[in-house]
Coordinates of all heavy atoms in Angstrom, one line a residue:
V618 N 216.3 175.0 8.8 CA 216.4 176.4 8.7 C 215.7 177.1 9.9 O 216.0 178.3 10.2 CB 216.0 177.0 7.3 CG1 216.9 176.6 6.2 CG2 214.5 176.7 7.1
V619 N 214.7 176.5 10.5 CA 214.0 177.0 11.6 C 213.4 175.9 12.4 O 213.1 174.9 11.9 CB 212.9 178.0 11.2 CG1 211.9 177.4 10.4 CG2 212.3 178.8 12.4
S620 N 213.5 176.0 13.7 CA 213.0 174.9 14.6 C 212.6 175.5 16.0 O 212.9 176.7 16.3 CB 214.1 173.9 14.8 OG 215.2 174.4 15.5
G621 N 211.9 174.7 16.8 CA 211.5 175.2 18.1 C 211.1 173.9 18.9 O 210.7 172.9 18.3
K622 N 211.2 174.0 20.3 CA 210.8 173.0 21.1 C 210.0 173.4 22.3 O 210.0 174.7 22.6 CB 212.0 172.2 21.6 CG 213.0 173.1 22.4 CD 214.2 172.3 22.7 CE 215.2 173.2 23.4 NZ 216.4 172.6 23.8
S623 N 209.2 172.5 22.9 CA 208.3 172.8 24.0 C 207.5 174.1 23.8 O 207.4 175.0 24.7 CB 209.2 172.9 25.3 OG 209.9 171.7 25.6
L624 N 206.8 174.2 22.7 CA 206.0 175.4 22.3 C 204.6 175.2 22.7 O 204.0 174.1 22.6 CB 206.2 175.6 20.8 CG 207.6 175.8 20.4 CD1 207.7 175.8 18.8 CD2 208.2 177.2 20.9
T625 N 203.9 176.3 23.0 CA 202.5 176.4 23.2 C 202.1 177.8 22.6 O 202.9 178.6 22.3 CB 202.1 176.4 24.7 OG1 202.8 177.5 25.4 CG2 202.5 175.1 25.4
G626 N 200.8 177.9 22.3 CA 200.3 179.1 21.8 C 200.6 179.3 20.3 O 201.3 178.5 19.7
R627 N 200.0 180.3 19.7 CA 200.2 180.6 18.3 C 201.7 181.1 18.1 O 202.1 181.9 18.8 CB 199.3 181.6 17.8 CG 199.3 181.9 16.3 CD 198.4 183.1 15.9 NE 198.1 183.2 14.5 CZ 198.9 183.2 13.5 NH1 200.2 183.0 13.7 NH2 198.4 183.4 12.2
R628 N 202.3 180.6 17.0 CA 203.7 181.0 16.6 C 203.8 181.1 15.2 O 203.1 180.4 14.4 CB 204.7 179.9 17.1 CG 204.7 179.5 18.5 CD 205.2 180.7 19.5 NE 205.1 180.3 20.8 CZ 206.1 180.2 21.7 NH1 207.3 180.5 21.2 NH2 205.9 179.8 22.9
E629 N 204.6 182.1 14.7 CA 204.9 182.2 13.3 C 206.4 182.5 13.1 O 207.0 183.2 13.9 CB 204.1 183.4 12.7 CG 204.2 183.5 11.2 CD 203.2 184.5 10.6 OE1 202.3 184.9 11.3 OE2 203.4 184.8 9.4
Y630 N 207.0 181.8 12.1 CA 208.4 181.9 11.8 C 208.6 182.3 10.3 O 207.9 181.7 9.4 CB 209.1 180.6 12.1 CG 208.9 180.2 13.5 CD1 207.8 179.4 14.0 CD2 209.9 180.6 14.5 CE1 207.6 179.1 15.3 CE2 209.7 180.2 15.8 CZ 208.6 179.4 16.2 OH 208.4 179.1 17.5
T631 N 209.5 183.1 10.1 CA 210.0 183.4 8.7 C 210.9 182.3 8.2 O 211.7 181.9 9.0 CB 210.7 184.8 8.7 OG1 209.8 185.8 9.1 CG2 211.2 185.1 7.3
I632 N 210.7 181.9 7.0 CA 211.6 180.9 6.4 C 212.7 181.8 5.7 O 212.4 182.5 4.7 CB 210.9 180.0 5.3 CG1 209.8 179.2 6.1 CG2 211.8 179.1 4.6 CD1 208.8 178.5 5.2
P633 N 213.9 181.7 6.2 CA 215.0 182.5 5.7 C 215.2 182.4 4.2 O 215.1 181.3 3.7 CB 216.2 182.0 6.5 CG 215.6 181.4 7.7 CD 214.3 180.8 7.2
K634 N 215.4 183.5 3.5 CA 215.7 183.6 2.1 C 214.6 183.2 1.2 O 214.8 183.1 0.0 CB 217.0 182.8 1.7 CG 218.2 183.2 2.5 CD 219.4 182.4 2.1 CE 220.6 182.8 2.9 NZ 221.8 182.0 2.6
G635 N 213.3 183.0 1.7 CA 212.2 182.7 0.8 C 212.4 181.3 0.2 O 213.1 180.5 0.7
T636 N 211.8 181.2 -1.0 CA 211.9 179.9 -1.7 C 212.3 180.1 -3.2 O 212.1 181.2 -3.7 CB 210.5 179.2 -1.7 OG1 209.6 179.9 -2.5 CG2 209.9 179.1 -0.3
E637 N 212.8 179.1 -3.8 CA 213.1 179.0 -5.2 C 212.2 178.0 -5.9 O 211.8 177.1 -5.2 CB 214.6 178.7 -5.4 CG 215.6 179.6 -4.9 CD 215.6 181.0 -5.6 OE1 215.3 180.9 -6.8 OE2 215.9 182.0 -5.0
K638 N 211.9 178.2 -7.1 CA 211.2 177.2 -7.9 C 211.9 175.8 -7.8 O 213.1 175.7 -8.0 CB 211.1 177.6 -9.3 CG 210.3 176.7 -10.2 CD 210.1 177.1 -11.6 CE 209.3 176.1 -12.4 NZ 209.1 176.5 -13.8
G639 N 211.1 174.8 -7.4 CA 211.6 173.4 -7.3 C 212.1 173.1 -5.9 O 212.4 172.0 -5.7
D640 N 212.2 174.1 -5.0 CA 212.7 173.8 -3.6 C 211.6 172.9 -3.0 O 210.4 172.9 -3.2 CB 212.7 175.1 -2.8 CG 214.0 175.9 -3.0 OD1 214.9 175.4 -3.7 OD2 214.0 177.0 -2.5
T641 N 212.2 172.0 -2.1 CA 211.3 171.0 -1.4 C 211.5 171.3 0.1 O 212.6 171.2 0.6 CB 211.6 169.6 -1.7 OG1 211.4 169.4 -3.1 CG2 210.7 168.6 -0.9
L642 N 210.5 171.7 0.8 CA 210.5 172.0 2.2 C 209.9 170.8 3.0 O 208.8 170.3 2.7 CB 209.7 173.3 2.5 CG 209.8 173.8 3.9 CD1 211.1 174.5 4.1 CD2 208.6 174.8 4.2
A643 N 210.7 170.4 4.0 CA 210.2 169.2 4.9 C 209.8 169.9 6.2 O 210.6 170.7 6.7 CB 211.3 168.2 5.1
A644 N 208.6 169.5 6.7 CA 208.2 170.1 8.0 C 207.8 168.9 8.9 O 206.9 168.2 8.7 CB 207.0 171.0 7.8
A645 N 208.7 168.8 9.9 CA 208.5 167.7 11.0 C 207.9 168.3 12.2 O 208.4 169.3 12.7 CB 209.8 166.9 11.3
V646 N 206.8 167.7 12.8 CA 206.2 168.2 14.0 C 205.9 167.0 14.9 O 205.5 166.0 14.5 CB 204.8 168.8 13.6 CG1 204.1 169.3 14.9 CG2 205.0 170.0 12.6
D647 N 206.2 167.2 16.2 CA 205.9 166.3 17.3 C 205.0 167.0 18.2 O 205.3 168.1 18.7 CB 207.1 165.8 18.0 CG 208.1 164.9 17.3 OD1 207.7 164.4 16.2 OD2 209.2 164.7 17.7
C648 N 203.8 166.5 18.4 CA 202.8 167.2 19.2 C 202.2 166.3 20.3 O 202.2 165.1 20.1 CB 201.7 168.0 18.5 SG 200.4 167.0 17.8

């Protein structure tokens, strides 16, 4: 639902449509 590449500095992103009870969010990061 949201991604970015070659990033530096502080960043913040909205997760579209919020969350529902029981939703599972996966966050993969390469640094």
Side-chain angles (χ1 to χ4, degrees):
V618 294
V619 63
S620 63
K622 60 185 177 179
S623 300
L624 300 169
T625 59
R627 187 188 195 309
R628 306 288 177 120
E629 186 170 348
Y630 301 87
T631 299
I632 297 172
K634 300 180 183 179
T636 69
E637 295 292 331
K638 181 179 180 178
D640 280 351
T641 300
L642 188 75
V646 178
D647 290 345
C648 76

